[in-house]
Amino acid sequence: MSRMFWFTVGAGSGVYAVVKTRRAAERFTPSGLADQLAALGHGARLFSGQVREGMAEHETELRSRLELAHADRPDQTALPPTPEGAPDTSSPDTSSPGRTAAKRRGST
């Protein structure tokens, strides 16, 4: 009885090793690599879609908390009034480090 048990265990582990080796070898063929890249691209698209949905939900929640009007384009939304003494961020910053030295001096 003991010999039959160990024979079955050996045969089962041999079959398992052959199947695992065959699957691993298939993964490194050109078609296997193409399948893996396609699966990776699909997963990335799903992930980015979920991130966009989460961002939209969070934006909606923030807009409702701040009582901002919904607009089709985010650049046309009304900003809340700035408190007195706070810097006005609605106009572009003209002192950005990206400007050239000549423009900073006032000459064009």
Side-chain angles (χ1 to χ4, degrees):
M1 185 73 169
S2 176
R3 287 184 179 182
M4 183 62 122
F5 172 75
W6 288 114
F7 175 77
T8 306
V9 169
S13 62
V15 168
Y16 178 78
V18 167
V19 168
K20 287 300 242 182
T21 304
R22 196 175 286 165
R23 285 183 183 169
E26 207 287 318
R27 289 180 64 191
F28 295 109
T29 62
S31 64
L33 291 174
D35 289 343
Q36 288 178 4
L37 286 175
L40 180 66
H42 180 69
R45 281 189 300 275
L46 287 176
F47 177 72
S48 66
Q50 289 177 346
V51 167
R52 278 191 215 108
E53 287 176 11
M55 285 173 31
E57 289 175 10
H58 190 65
E59 182 180 4
T60 302
E61 179 184 338
L62 288 173
R63 287 181 180 277
S64 66
R65 282 185 183 177
L66 297 174
E67 298 176 357
L68 293 177
H70 292 279
D72 293 334
R73 298 180 66 194
D75 58 341
Q76 295 177 350
T77 58
L79 295 174
T82 56
E84 288 185 33
D88 184 18
T89 59
S90 61
S91 63
D93 187 13
T94 57
S95 63
S96 66
R99 293 180 53 138
T100 62
K103 287 185 179 178
R104 275 188 241 137
R105 286 191 301 259
S107 62
T108 55

